[in-house]
């Protein structure tokens, strides 16, 4: 079968023929419906150093945002019919620790000794015609379109988890939420905030077209650059936002998020651009929280699918054939994509 493979650090992936996988005990074989191209993939093959933090040893097939149809089942697997559509929860922990017992494989206590982080992150992923998946990692889609749903497993799950953790800050009248970075995750974050809260949503980015999309979704937009924090605080009547979500994570965006917070506010850094923040008692709002988050739980993904089925969230996608998958990564790396690139190995 064809697959897009990460073969070495600082090296663009390759499209090549590989052996079709066979499901092991407790696994299924999925015929891939869609595989989302995430900027984390670009970090894996282009930004991380071999011995640096975040490095995942190659080779393996990329693709950690996946959906597909049951093609075959491994030993001991029952209750699944061929053709059933499922979304894939990407993280894979040890399955035995306290974090994994609550479906929070992202925070597995044995991550340092696990053979891989997840599907498409050390273990072969979905940028291929077929992928094997543990039964535990399947979330049913029913009649929902699995191709459009593929990015939900990261591009929606990640902001959903961050927003869900911040809901106490946004419950009540007169609340404000700030979204920094209006790429795939940021646009879905605006949709989730609109569906789950009554907060006024402020959204900011350097790209006018990205802000225009956020405005269509109901956000008040503020252009990045000089005076950005002042304009955000002016919208809130001077008090600052109750919850800020930074989907970039660079030094300047972290500064904007922290500078826009009000007293008792919560600032969540979601992006992994490596920025830092210098804390001071006299410049930080009283009882404010600066935190980060990583992906989400299996339970969260079930809730994300419920929102998708209800029409509350809908990722904007650009579809590519598997043969054109490398072009999707090229455009992603160059910042030329306006939606989420989804590779569709078997056509529509």
């Amino acid at each position: 079968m064809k697959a897009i493979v990460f073969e070495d650090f600082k090296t663009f992936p390759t499209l090549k023929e590989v052996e079709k996988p066979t499901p092991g005990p407790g696994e299924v074989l999925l015929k891939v419906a869609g595989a989302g191209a995430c900027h984390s993939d670009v970090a894996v093959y282009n930004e991380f150093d071999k011995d640096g933090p975040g490095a995942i040893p190659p080779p393996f097939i990329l693709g950690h945002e996946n959906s597909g149809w049951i093609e075959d089942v491994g030993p001991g697997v029952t209750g699944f019919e061929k053709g059933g559509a499922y979304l894939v929860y990407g993280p894979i922990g040890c399955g035995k620790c306290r974090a994994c017992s609550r479906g929070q494989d992202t925070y597995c206590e044995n991550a340092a000794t696990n053979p891989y982080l997840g599907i498409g992150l050390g273990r072969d992923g979905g940028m291929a015609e077929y992928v094997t998946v543990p039964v535990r990692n399947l979330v049913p889609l029913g009649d929902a379109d699995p191709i459009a749903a593929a990015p939900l497993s990261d591009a929606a799950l990640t902001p959903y988890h961050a927003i869900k953790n911040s809901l106490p800050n946004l419950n009540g009248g007169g609340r404000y939420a700030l979204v920094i970075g209006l790429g795939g995750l940021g646009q879905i974050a605006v949709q989730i905030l609109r569906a789950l809260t009554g907060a006024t949503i402020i959204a900011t980015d350097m790209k006018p077209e990205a802000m225009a999309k956020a405005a269509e979704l109901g956000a008040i937009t503020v252009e990045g650059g000089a005076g950005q924090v002042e304009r955000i605080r002016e919208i809130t009547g001077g008090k600052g936002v109750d919850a800020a979500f930074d989907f970039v994570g660079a030094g300047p965006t972290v500064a904007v998020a922290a500078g826009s917070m009000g007293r008792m506010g919560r600032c969540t850094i979601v992006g992994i651009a490596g920025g830092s923040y210098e804390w001071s008692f006299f410049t930080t709002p009283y009882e404010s929280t600066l935190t980060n988050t990583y992906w989400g739980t299996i339970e969260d993904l079930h809730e994300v699918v419920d929102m998708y089925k209800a029409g509350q969230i809908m990722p904007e996608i650009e579809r590519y054939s598997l043969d054109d998958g490398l072009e999707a990564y090229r455009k992603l790396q160059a910042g030329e994509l306006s939606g989420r690139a989804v590779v569709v190995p078997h056509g529509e």
Side-chain angles (χ1 to χ4, degrees), residues 190-206:
V190 172
Q191 297 177 48
I192 294 170
L193 285 164
R194 184 182 61 183
L196 297 185
T197 79
T200 298
I201 305 166
I202 306 169
T204 182
D205 197 282
M206 298 296 289

Side-chain angles (χ1 to χ4, degrees), residues 78-169:
T78 60
F80 291 88
E81 295 185 3
K82 183 174 180 177
Y86 291 85
L87 191 63
V88 178
Y89 180 69
I92 300 179
C94 70
K96 302 173 183 177
C97 69
R98 287 169 292 186
C100 290
S101 72
R102 19 174 224 272
Q104 201 161 26
D105 294 47
T106 46
Y107 302 151
C108 175
E109 296 171 10
N110 299 305
T113 57
N114 290 342
Y116 38 70
L117 294 179
I119 298 164
L121 294 169
R123 171 173 167 145
D124 283 340
M127 288 289 173
E129 296 177 65
Y130 296 90
V131 62
T132 57
V133 178
V135 168
R136 177 176 179 267
N137 290 55
L138 297 176
V139 177
L141 286 168
D143 295 331
D145 177 13
I147 296 174
L152 297 177
S153 55
D154 185 357
L157 174 59
T158 297
Y160 180 82
H161 184 73
I163 291 167
K164 184 177 177 181
N165 286 349
S166 302
L167 286 179
N169 290 74

Side-chain angles (χ1 to χ4, degrees), residues 59-86:
F60 56 86
I61 299 170
L62 293 171
H64 58 270
E65 294 183 341
N66 306 306
S67 62
W69 303 280
I70 300 289
E71 181 73 11
D72 198 4
V73 299
V77 175
T78 60
F80 291 88
E81 295 185 3
K82 183 174 180 177
Y86 291 85

Side-chain angles (χ1 to χ4, degrees), residues 215-303:
E216 292 175 1
L217 295 170
I220 299 172
T221 59
V222 173
E223 185 178 1
Q228 187 177 10
V229 171
E230 290 76 11
R231 291 194 298 275
I232 292 168
R233 298 191 74 90
E234 182 180 355
I235 294 170
T236 68
K239 75 182 187 70
V241 301
D242 300 282
F245 306 92
D246 179 5
F247 291 98
V248 182
T253 59
V254 173
V256 169
S260 301
M261 278 197 302
R263 294 185 181 93
M264 303 179 72
R266 180 182 176 93
C267 175
T268 305
I269 310 302
V270 183
I272 57 173
S276 60
Y277 173 70
E278 184 175 343
W279 183 91
S280 167
F281 185 93
F282 297 103
T283 60
T284 301
Y286 293 132
E287 293 192 34
S288 59
T289 300
L290 177 64
T291 187
N292 58 5
T293 189
Y294 174 56
W295 230 334
T297 69
I298 296 175
E299 180 184 24
D300 290 336
L301 189 55
H302 279 271
E303 294 170 2

Side-chain angles (χ1 to χ4, degrees), residues 11-37:
T11 302
F12 197 73
T14 57
L15 177 65
K16 60 190 295 185
E17 286 286 337
V18 300
E19 186 176 349
K20 180 179 176 180
T22 300
E27 298 180 344
V28 302
L29 179 69
L30 284 188
K31 180 180 178 180
V32 176

